[in-house]
Amino acid sequence: FNDRIIASKYPNPPWISSDLSLLGAHSFALISPEGPIARFCTRIADFIVFARTLESGITQLFRVRWSAYNNPQDYVQSVATQSDYQDLNAEYGPIRGLVGGTFGIIFQESAVVRMDQAQAPIIFSFTILSVGKGSALSVAQSIIVHNGLIYYWGHDDIYVTDGIGAPIGLAAGKVFKEILSQSLRTNNTA
């Protein structure tokens, strides 16, 4: 975040570095006593965003929580600082992935949701880009962002989205089937 690094590894609390623009040794400290523990963390606009959080010992599978505006260390809900959270529609399953930037893309079990900064009192708006086919993220670690496009491994194909339109399958499942076929051949010969 600006000249700082935020490190997060579930189920541990997130850490933040000292200002990297300053000369000398750097250290890490807990981000905040209120800082959420989460499976996913990214920067969206001027906020640090956590998804699928662990709060008060309870896993919040559908929760997206963000920091105060331009302050990655403040997570106390406040209209003044804009720190808050949103629980996404549970009908689409738990959050399985998160991508940041000027806007966010949230992958739920069966939906792809776009997260945009809005005007107060609404801090972020959430728009469903896709439900059903092409929406399911099969492997959370498969998300790749390249040249403004988001690629990911779905249940039946490899998909791409620009975050504006619905995800599109690549080669009608042919790439997916070839990778799966090669993987099975490699595993059977090992």
Side-chain angles (χ1 to χ4, degrees):
F1 192 88
N2 299 336
D3 290 326
R4 304 175 105 189
I5 296 172
I6 295 174
S8 177
K9 183 177 183 208
Y10 189 86
N12 301 310
W15 291 70
I16 190 165
S17 72
S18 56
D19 189 338
L20 298 177
S21 67
L22 302 174
L23 296 175
H26 301 287
S27 61
F28 278 83
L30 280 176
I31 200 165
S32 162
E34 300 83 21
I37 295 170
R39 290 260 181 212
F40 307 103
C41 174
T42 194
R43 179 180 181 165
I44 298 175
D46 293 309
F47 298 85
I48 296 300
V49 178
F50 292 91
R52 196 167 172 167
T53 62
L54 176 64
E55 300 178 37
S56 302
I58 299 170
T59 301
Q60 303 291 340
L61 298 173
F62 317 103
R63 181 159 295 170
V64 178
R65 178 178 289 282
W66 54 90
S67 68
Y69 174 78
N70 210 27
N71 183 350
Q73 293 183 272
D74 182 354
Y75 293 87
V76 176
Q77 279 181 259
S78 165
V79 173
T81 67
Q82 301 182 26
S83 179
D84 205 354
Y85 72 89
Q86 176 72 42
D87 289 329
L88 301 183
N89 189 334
E91 172 184 345
Y92 302 121
I95 295 171
R96 309 251 344 242
L98 177 67
V99 175
T102 54
F103 58 87
I105 296 294
I106 304 163
F107 293 90
Q108 287 185 263
E109 193 169 81
S110 65
V112 177
V113 180
R114 181 178 163 125
M115 180 177 176
D116 286 292
Q117 189 174 357
Q119 297 297 316
I122 298 169
I123 311 308
F124 283 100
S125 63
F126 296 84
T127 307
I128 295 174
L129 294 181
S130 178
V131 174
K133 186 173 176 65
S135 301
L137 176 66
S138 183
V139 180
Q141 294 83 2
S142 72
I143 300 171
I144 297 170
V145 180
H146 180 69
N147 288 335
L149 296 174
I150 303 164
Y151 298 86
Y152 64 96
W153 187 288
H155 288 298
D156 60 349
D157 203 350
I158 295 172
Y159 287 87
V160 61
T161 181
D162 58 5
I164 298 168
I168 299 168
L170 301 177
K174 291 178 185 173
V175 174
F176 178 86
K177 289 173 189 167
E178 180 59 27
I179 291 171
L180 187 59
S181 170
Q182 291 293 328
S183 174
L184 290 173
R185 256 186 263 148
T186 301
N187 289 337
N188 287 336
T189 59

